[in-house]
Amino acid sequence: MDVLRPPLININGRIYRRNIIKEEHYEEEEEFSYMGPPDDEELGEDETCDTHLIEQSDKGYRCAIDVPSVLYKYIIGKKGETRKRLEFDTKTSINIPKQGVEGQIVITGSTKTAVSSAVTRVELLVENFRRKQPFTHFLSFPLNDSKIQEGFLRFKDEVLKQCSQDHGVEESIFQNPAKLHLTIGTLALLNEMEVRKACEHLQECQNFISDIIEGKPLPLEVTGIEYMNDDPAMVDVLYAKVNVRDGSDKLQVIADRLVEHFVSAGLMVQEWDRVKLHGTVMNTLFRKDSTVEDTGAAGRQTVNEREAFDAKNILKKFGAYCFGEIELNTVQLSQRYSTDCTGYYSSAGSISFS
């Protein structure tokens, strides 16, 4: 890192320097220096610090913030060093619940400025390490209709009959037909409160989805296959193309609006300008590892351990293959590494289109 040009991060309109420090306990811990804290006069009594309420008490000021228990250790640090440093720098006291006990972190201090500064620094730590947590849930459009599953199984059988001699093509890399879906975006929901919050936000999306499709199921056709990388002879992911039957972009608009809503709520990180809608049918991450999900996670395998397959013949013979049609009628908040009674992912929440 160029010390004269440190990377900056903008959170709620405030600019912070991102300083990288090394510690034995963590692979890499990031420390943030706030450039320009608010003065006491900028904060009135019982006013909020961004999204948190700072209250006046007999002993000064206090602020309680919700933090998932799995993130406590990053605020405490090795032998409590991170918390001690925060308390010393901001002249506050930071009370953290016991590890594994969900609750609020309470910050107290003699001035609003001190409490505000401590809250901001805790938020920065939480946001930084939250981004490093594996995702637990994802928004999905289920494609596991019985007709689509039948079409997929025919595709699988024909590919294995006609292309099994091609490098890397084997049964283990095919998707589980009961879990065919489109991934809209992934979320790291670290406790039950966050899951409930995500479900509430999903319900809030009902109105704009109804406006887009006028309260009716969305007719889709699953036709054609495409691959992710540039070389058809070295493919890791082969996916089915999904389009609205009337040729409109309604499905894309819904997906993009869902991501926009969850990003604005702080529950999702936007990775692309538009959602890449694709229904995975073959993925080398599945090879010899049934625990791997097809939602972007690598499971126990690393990218370097993946064995690509030659998809040239598959693309030539099945490029326009029709898997079938479906009346899409739901979007689900699906739980990773789970299965419901139908074989699909367990749902933490959902909304219906009609």
Side-chain angles (χ1 to χ4, degrees):
M1 181 185 74
D2 186 344
V3 295
L4 297 179
R5 296 181 179 179
L8 304 178
I9 181 171
N10 185 322
I11 294 185
N12 295 321
R14 296 177 176 179
I15 304 301
Y16 303 85
R17 289 189 298 267
R18 184 192 298 247
N19 304 319
I20 309 298
I21 63 175
K22 298 289 184 179
E23 286 194 4
E24 248 179 61
H25 186 60
Y26 302 115
E27 221 177 82
E28 186 177 87
E29 180 180 337
E30 291 183 334
E31 185 184 65
F32 298 90
S33 303
Y34 177 38
M35 300 167 65
D39 296 326
D40 272 348
E41 57 265 27
E42 293 177 2
L43 295 171
E45 285 192 12
D46 292 357
E47 290 192 5
T48 59
C49 171
D50 296 328
T51 57
H52 300 294
L53 180 69
I54 297 178
E55 301 173 304
Q56 187 169 15
S57 66
D58 295 339
K59 298 181 180 179
Y61 297 87
R62 72 186 297 276
C63 183
I65 57 178
D66 293 310
V67 176
S69 63
V70 296
L71 299 180
Y72 293 166
K73 61 183 179 182
Y74 302 115
I75 302 169
I76 296 170
K78 181 183 178 182
K79 297 181 180 179
E81 291 174 1
T82 302
R83 174 165 57 180
K84 290 175 185 175
R85 185 170 66 245
L86 288 173
E87 290 178 327
F88 177 81
D89 290 348
T90 61
K91 297 179 175 60
T92 59
S93 175
I94 302 174
N95 184 28
I96 301 173
K98 291 182 180 179
Q99 190 64 42
V101 177
E102 297 296 341
Q104 292 183 312
I105 290 178
V106 178
I107 300 172
T108 55
S110 59
T111 68
K112 286 192 183 78
T113 301
V115 174
S116 174
S117 178
V119 168
T120 299
R121 291 182 63 171
V122 168
E123 283 185 314
L124 286 165
L125 281 171
V126 168
E127 178 64 20
N128 178 51
F129 287 104
R130 174 185 288 281
R131 289 172 180 263
K132 298 178 181 179
Q133 302 302 307
F135 74 87
T136 60
H137 295 73
F138 58 100
L139 292 178
S140 72
F141 293 131
L143 295 179
N144 61 340
D145 178 84
S146 59
K147 292 181 179 179
I148 301 296
Q149 288 196 51
E150 290 170 6
F152 168 80
L153 290 172
R154 287 194 298 271
F155 167 80
K156 177 181 175 181
D157 289 343
E158 289 302 315
V159 168
L160 290 174
K161 284 179 184 178
Q162 301 182 41
C163 306
S164 60
Q165 299 304 311
D166 296 335
H167 176 77
V169 176
E170 62 180 33
E171 186 173 4
S172 67
I173 65 175
F174 284 86
Q175 171 67 287
N176 177 347
K179 292 194 171 182
L180 288 166
H181 70 279
L182 301 176
T183 298
I184 303 165
T186 59
L187 308 90
L189 306 177
L190 304 181
N191 57 26
E192 286 301 316
M193 184 179 70
E194 293 190 350
V195 173
R196 288 195 298 271
K197 181 181 177 182
C199 290
E200 291 169 2
H201 279 282
L202 182 58
Q203 293 302 318
E204 292 173 5
C205 297
Q206 180 81 64
N207 290 337
F208 75 72
I209 291 178
S210 295
D211 291 341
I212 294 170
I213 58 177
E214 300 176 347
K216 301 175 183 178
L218 191 60
L220 305 178
E221 57 182 17
V222 186
T223 302
I225 55 173
E226 192 55 86
Y227 59 103
M228 285 290 191
N229 59 315
D230 298 327
D231 186 357
M234 294 289 289
V235 171
D236 282 317
V237 177
L238 194 72
Y239 63 90
K241 294 187 284 188
V242 182
N243 295 291
V244 182
R245 257 185 260 167
D246 64 9
S248 71
D249 64 349
K250 292 177 181 178
L251 184 65
Q252 184 69 54
V253 171
I254 292 171
D256 291 340
R257 289 283 300 276
L258 283 165
V259 169
E260 180 184 342
H261 183 89
F262 277 80
V263 168
S264 66
L267 293 169
M268 188 180 289
V269 176
Q270 185 154 7
E271 299 180 34
W272 314 104
D273 292 336
R274 303 181 76 209
V275 177
K276 175 69 173 177
L277 290 170
H278 63 282
T280 300
V281 293
M282 299 172 71
N283 190 332
T284 57
L285 285 177
F286 300 154
R287 196 189 303 277
K288 299 175 183 177
D289 189 349
S290 60
T291 66
V292 170
E293 302 288 341
D294 63 300
T295 49
R300 292 192 297 267
Q301 299 181 53
T302 66
V303 173
N304 292 333
E305 293 173 333
R306 296 174 72 163
E307 180 190 351
F309 65 96
D310 186 347
K312 293 196 302 292
N313 283 332
I314 299 175
L315 291 162
K316 182 178 179 181
K317 296 177 180 180
F318 302 96
Y321 182 85
C322 179
F323 293 87
E325 297 182 344
I326 181 175
E327 298 283 323
L328 185 66
N329 197 37
T330 185
V331 56
Q332 293 192 15
L333 177 61
S334 301
Q335 183 178 333
R336 190 181 183 191
Y337 299 130
S338 69
T339 304
D340 67 12
C341 61
T342 70
Y344 193 65
Y345 300 95
S346 298
S347 174
S350 66
I351 53 176
S352 177
F353 294 176
S354 60

